């Protein structure tokens, strides 16, 4: 069955939603074939694919390029693409135009943007343009400089109250789902119970309506740092390194390629060239 923003909303209180990030065609295809509900083309691609220290340098062109690739690989999975830093904070107009580009050029079916009350007008305008919006509150990585680092959010009474107000504002603006990142477990559970739209948690515990992870983290492919909330489901990085080393050794030792890996030509054609 095709996952859509509507099936996401309908799953609330019925079935947990599963999401992973992806940034290319073959990974998206594998996830789609595995039955994942949603793929986020996250601006985390700046860190895990492009090697930046944070997500701030990611451009609209980066996002469109990777969203196009993912969209070609995802058949039944909902493809959500991130609006990058400064593509929507600048004005409601910019938000609608850039959200439209991720749908029209990238082939996504929904967009995600970071922020609560402050982004209410942007979310409303994008939804009014018939583009489904996923919100994102808590640790919003595009605000890393204001937060003073990648830190858990909503721990004090004031911050917890603000987080709940932000969630309600994002829902009121028309979002179909909302990511809660690095939020204390009990707060995420409370927020989830107050909303009629699904919450997708990352570092927010089991009280959310769904979960998302960055795929390089859960496959053990990104070694720069591993957040506390990540569970490694495989050690693909080690498997890759073993295969790379074996290939290097075999080429150097003349073991690869073998005869079966080559293409034939008639001897008489070759002889004429000597
Ligand atoms: O960019 C991203 O990958 C994200 C997830 C961490 C939710 O926003």
């Amino acid at each position: 069955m095709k996952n859509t923003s509507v099936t996401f909303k309908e799953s609330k209180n019925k079935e947990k939603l599963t999401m992973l990030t992806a940034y290319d065609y073959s990974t998206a295809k594998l996830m789609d074939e595995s039955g994942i509900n949603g793929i986020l083309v996250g601006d985390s691609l700046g860190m895990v694919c492009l090697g930046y220290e944070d997500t701030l340098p990611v451009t609209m062109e980066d996002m469109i390029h990777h969203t196009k690739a993912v969209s070609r690989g995802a058949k039944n999975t909902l493809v959500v693409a991130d609006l990058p830093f400064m593509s929507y904070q600048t004005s409601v107009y910019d938000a609608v135009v850039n959200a439209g580009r991720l749908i029209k050029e990238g082939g996504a079916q929904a967009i995600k943007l970071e922020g609560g009350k402050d982004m209410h007008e942007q979310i409303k305008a994008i939804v009014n343009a018939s583009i489904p919006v996923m919100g994102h509150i808590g640790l919003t990585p595009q605000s890393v400089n204001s937060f003073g680092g990648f830190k858990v959010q909503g721990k004090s009474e004031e911050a917890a109250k603000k987080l709940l107000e932000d969630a309600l504002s994002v829902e009121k603006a028309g979002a179909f789902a909302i990511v809660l990142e690095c939020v204390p477990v009990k707060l995420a559970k409370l927020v989830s119970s107050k909303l009629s739209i699904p919450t997708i948690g990352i570092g927010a515990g089991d009280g959310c309506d769904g979960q998302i992870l960055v795929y390089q983290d859960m496959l053990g492919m990104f070694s720069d740092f591993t957040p506390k909330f990540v569970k490694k489901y495989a050690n693909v990085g080690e498997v890759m390194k073993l295969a790379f080393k074996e290939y290097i050794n075999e080429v150097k030792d003349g073991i690869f390629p073998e005869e079966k890996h080559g293409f034939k030509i008639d001897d008489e054609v070759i002889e004429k060239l000597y």
Side-chain angles (χ1 to χ4, degrees):
M1 192 185 81
K2 175 75 190 151
N3 289 275
T4 66
S5 61
V6 175
T7 63
F8 261 55
K9 276 212 262 191
E10 286 170 351
S11 74
K12 176 102 183 172
N13 298 326
K14 289 196 190 110
E15 205 187 326
K16 292 265 186 189
L17 289 164
T18 56
M19 289 191 76
L20 286 168
T21 65
Y23 317 96
D24 66 79
Y25 169 78
S26 41
T27 311
K29 198 162 171 229
L30 289 169
M31 288 176 186
D32 189 85
E33 287 166 358
S34 306
I36 198 92
N37 293 121
I39 293 177
L40 171 69
V41 189
D43 60 355
S44 50
L45 73 86
M47 297 165 90
V48 294
C49 295
L50 305 178
Y52 298 135
E53 275 186 14
D54 51 42
T55 59
L56 305 188
V58 175
T59 65
M60 273 303 296
E61 304 315 317
D62 293 332
M63 289 309 306
I64 290 169
H65 179 72
H66 288 270
T67 304
K68 275 182 179 174
V70 167
S71 300
R72 287 183 209 116
K75 294 213 162 26
N76 294 317
T77 308
L78 175 71
V79 177
V80 184
D82 257 342
L83 277 172
F85 184 53
M86 284 299 125
S87 68
Y88 60 98
Q89 292 93 341
T90 41
S91 69
V92 170
Y93 176 82
D94 286 351
V96 177
V97 168
N98 287 318
R101 289 192 70 197
L102 291 176
I103 305 292
K104 209 169 168 168
E105 298 174 49
Q109 289 105 42
I111 65 93
K112 176 167 83 58
L113 60 78
E114 297 180 7
K117 269 194 215 162
D118 293 350
M119 290 302 130
H120 185 94
E121 291 308 316
Q122 274 88 335
I123 296 172
K124 210 165 125 186
I126 298 170
V127 172
N128 281 343
S130 300
I131 298 172
V133 175
M134 180 176 276
H136 183 166
I137 59 169
L139 171 53
T140 44
Q142 292 176 18
S143 305
V144 62
N145 290 323
S146 318
F147 293 149
F150 296 102
K151 294 176 184 163
V152 178
Q153 300 297 308
K155 285 181 94 169
S156 68
E157 188 184 333
E158 193 190 356
K161 198 163 160 256
K162 182 180 180 308
L163 195 114
L164 178 57
E165 284 168 8
D166 278 338
L168 291 168
S169 174
V170 167
E171 175 179 65
K172 197 161 176 221
F176 72 94
I178 184 165
V179 170
L180 304 181
E181 180 165 356
C182 280
V183 172
V185 178
K186 285 184 181 167
L187 178 59
K189 198 170 180 172
L190 176 82
V191 170
S192 303
S193 73
K194 298 265 182 198
L195 297 182
S196 61
I197 55 171
T199 56
I200 312 291
I202 175 162
D206 63 350
C208 296
D209 302 300
Q211 297 292 326
I212 183 165
L213 284 175
V214 170
Y215 94 87
Q216 283 91 340
D217 286 340
M218 60 92 74
L219 291 185
M221 293 170 69
F222 186 67
S223 56
D224 289 4
F225 71 92
T226 307
K228 173 181 153 78
F229 56 75
V230 169
K231 176 171 175 181
K232 274 192 193 166
Y233 285 83
N235 215 335
V236 175
E238 284 310 312
V239 174
M240 286 172 83
K241 279 201 267 182
L242 278 178
F244 295 152
K245 282 180 189 160
E246 194 175 341
Y247 166 74
I248 292 164
N249 290 337
E250 286 201 354
V251 171
K252 290 200 187 286
D253 295 344
I255 297 170
F256 176 81
E258 297 167 48
E259 198 183 337
K260 66 181 176 192
H261 301 120
F263 302 97
K264 289 196 169 26
I265 185 171
D266 286 341
D267 284 346
E268 51 200 57
V269 175
I270 282 293
E271 274 155 21
K272 282 194 185 128
L273 300 176
Y274 278 99

